[in-house]
């Protein structure tokens, strides 16, 4: 079995970096921290931008992290087709950097929401969802105060028609309802991908749901999708 | 010389903070309030010999690129002596 190397970016006040590294290692792959001042990612197969409160969330969530040296390397990696997953604060950073469309604003309720939610996978046509069985809901925790996804009407239409919406908040039976929406996100959006499909952001935390002792293993399917994508690319290149 | 920048949420964007402040004002008896928008104020100090026109151009770019997020916010920039 091929072992793939993940880079987990560390900003001052990242706090889900260790969870992300742990989750990747639990899945049998390699994960290393990359500090925000680094100008290079080294030789890695995929990048995770973890959750937290980078730079204290000063100015806006993710606004300052986007200008850090490592983000220039992440941008180049993505432009070359590399897989980049932003989780929670990582999603906010990718939006601020313009690598994903839209923005994440204060939750509709003004409350910090910390609970398990259900996600419906909207499309399996992405490196982040390909290995999630058809119709399978994901039970994954959210923990954020600013996760309300906003984009203007033309952007939302484009996201929908390009199949860039990867996950939506739903109830336990898979219905996409307003009461299942923890933050007021437009169209119940929980995660999206870029037009080229190799960059994704999601507010829920799959890295906190990779072991049964944590109450759910559903998060594995997100990382396994990435790993299966990398494996296919490697065997494809070797063939 | 100073730059004064006021950043406000765009009208189309949900502003739960503004709404909550409006509700609190109503509870306090300020019933004529029809809308509240909560934004932020940034004051930037500039060297006294700065050319105001160049400062405006540079900070206008900074507002667009960094100090505000044009997807969700509007800004007003003023240069004062």
């Amino acid at each position: 079995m091929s072992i793939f190397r993940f880079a987990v970016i560390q900003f001052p006040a990242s706090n889900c970096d260790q969870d992300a590294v742990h989750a990747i290692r639990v899945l049998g792959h390699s994960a290393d921290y990359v500090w925000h001042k680094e100008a290079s990612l080294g030789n890695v197969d995929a990048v995770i931008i973890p959750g937290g409160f980078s730079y204290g969330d000063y100015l806006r969530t993710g606004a300052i992290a986007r200008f850090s040296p490592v983000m220039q390397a992440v941008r180049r990696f993505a432009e070359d087709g590399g897989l980049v997953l932003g989780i929670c604060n990582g999603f906010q950073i990718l939006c601020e950097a313009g690598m994903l469309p839209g923005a994440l604003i204060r939750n509709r309720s003004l409350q910090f929401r910390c609970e398990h939610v259900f996600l419906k996978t909207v499309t399996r046509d992405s490196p982040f969802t390909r290995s999630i069985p058809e119709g399978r809901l994901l039970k994954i925790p959210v923990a954020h105060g600013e996760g309300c996804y906003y984009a203007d009407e033309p952007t939302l239409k484009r996201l929908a028609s390009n199949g860039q919406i990867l996950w939506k908040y739903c109830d336990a039976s898979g219905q996409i309802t307003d009461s299942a929406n923890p933050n007021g996100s437009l169209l119940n959006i929980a995660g999206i991908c870029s037009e080229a499909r190799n960059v994704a952001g999601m507010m829920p935390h799959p890295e906190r749901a990779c072991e049964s002792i944590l109450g759910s293993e559903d998060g594995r399917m997100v990382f396994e999708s990435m790993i299966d994508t990398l494996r296919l690319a490697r065997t494809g290149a070797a063939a | 010389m100073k730059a004064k920048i006021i950043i406000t949420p765009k009208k189309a964007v949900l502003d739960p903070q503004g709404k909550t402040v409006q509700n609190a004002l109503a509870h306090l008896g300020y019933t004529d309030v029809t809308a509240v928008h909560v934004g932020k104020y940034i004051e930037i100090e500039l060297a006294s010999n700065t050319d105001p026109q160049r400062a405006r151009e540079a900070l206008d770019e900074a507002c667009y690129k960094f100090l505000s997020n044009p997807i969700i916010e509007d800004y007003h920039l003023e240069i004062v002596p």
Side-chain angles (χ1 to χ4, degrees):
Chain A
M1 190 183 97
S2 304
I3 304 277
F4 293 104
R5 295 189 59 185
F6 283 69
V8 175
I9 310 298
Q10 269 184 324
F11 297 101
S14 291
N15 66 6
C16 302
D17 41 347
Q18 294 191 35
D19 304 57
V21 164
H22 177 74
I24 295 301
R25 290 179 183 167
V26 161
L27 288 166
H29 292 271
S30 152
D32 291 295
Y33 301 107
V34 178
W35 185 234
H36 68 123
K37 288 186 174 166
E38 296 289 335
S40 156
L41 295 169
N43 181 24
V44 297
D45 299 300
V47 172
I48 295 175
I49 307 178
F53 300 84
S54 58
Y55 298 89
D57 275 353
Y58 292 163
L59 196 62
R60 290 178 310 280
T61 57
I64 298 182
R66 70 170 276 210
F67 292 108
S68 60
V70 79
M71 283 306 293
Q72 311 312 314
V74 171
R75 187 185 295 276
R76 283 193 302 273
F77 181 77
E79 282 167 2
D80 290 340
L83 298 186
V84 178
L85 174 65
I87 300 166
C88 196
N89 189 220
F91 186 11
Q92 296 162 339
I93 293 167
L94 288 170
C95 285
E96 277 285 341
M99 292 172 66
L100 289 172
L104 293 141
I105 59 173
R106 192 70 65 91
N107 291 353
R108 173 175 57 179
S109 63
L110 291 175
Q111 293 167 331
F112 188 96
R113 298 291 294 264
C114 185
E115 63 207 34
H116 278 83
V117 295
F118 286 98
L119 301 180
K120 185 172 207 156
T121 301
V122 180
T123 174
R124 298 172 65 227
D125 176 22
S126 88
F128 308 91
T129 53
R130 67 186 314 147
S131 307
I132 300 170
E134 187 79 51
R136 177 75 149 75
L137 302 181
L138 305 183
K139 186 184 166 202
I140 291 183
V142 290
H144 60 249
E146 297 180 63
C148 173
Y149 183 77
Y150 174 84
D152 62 17
E153 204 53 44
T155 307
L156 287 176
K157 282 203 177 112
R158 207 168 54 242
L159 285 174
S161 63
N162 290 345
Q164 286 174 254
I165 302 170
L166 299 184
W167 299 281
K168 287 188 179 188
Y169 300 108
C170 65
D171 64 18
S173 65
Q175 300 301 308
I176 293 161
T177 62
D178 194 49
S179 60
N181 186 338
N183 51 33
S185 285
L186 296 178
L187 304 178
N188 277 39
I189 287 173
I192 58 171
C193 71
S194 61
E195 209 171 329
R197 311 195 81 71
N198 62 312
V199 178
M202 65 193 301
M203 286 312 295
H205 287 274
E207 82 284 10
R208 296 189 191 179
C210 288
E211 291 165 283
S212 58
I213 196 171
L214 298 176
S216 169
E217 294 183 283
D218 292 355
R220 281 175 174 252
M221 288 182 261
V222 174
F223 300 115
E224 280 164 356
S225 296
M226 295 175 75
I227 290 159
D228 290 345
T229 303
L230 294 170
R231 189 175 291 129
L232 275 168
R234 187 169 287 180
T235 52
Chain B
M1 191 182 292
K2 275 181 185 171
K4 297 181 169 185
I5 298 158
I6 295 171
I7 297 164
T8 47
K10 274 192 195 296
K11 294 287 184 290
V13 177
L14 193 71
D15 178 14
Q17 213 179 168
K19 192 80 196 149
T20 305
V21 172
Q22 186 188 346
N23 291 344
L25 284 170
H27 283 304
L28 290 169
Y30 298 98
T31 48
D32 293 337
V33 176
T34 53
V36 176
H37 308 286
V38 178
K40 33 178 116 94
Y41 172 68
I42 300 174
E43 198 170 271
I44 295 177
E45 292 179 23
L46 301 161
S48 54
N49 60 352
T50 310
D51 173 45
Q53 187 53 37
R54 284 180 64 183
R56 167 173 295 280
E57 284 167 16
L59 287 173
D60 196 50
E61 188 189 61
C63 281
Y64 189 78
K65 263 172 55 177
F66 175 48
L67 299 173
S68 80
N69 179 341
I71 297 172
I72 48 172
E73 295 169 325
D74 293 320
Y75 65 86
H76 174 78
L77 166 67
E78 205 181 322
I79 308 280
V80 293

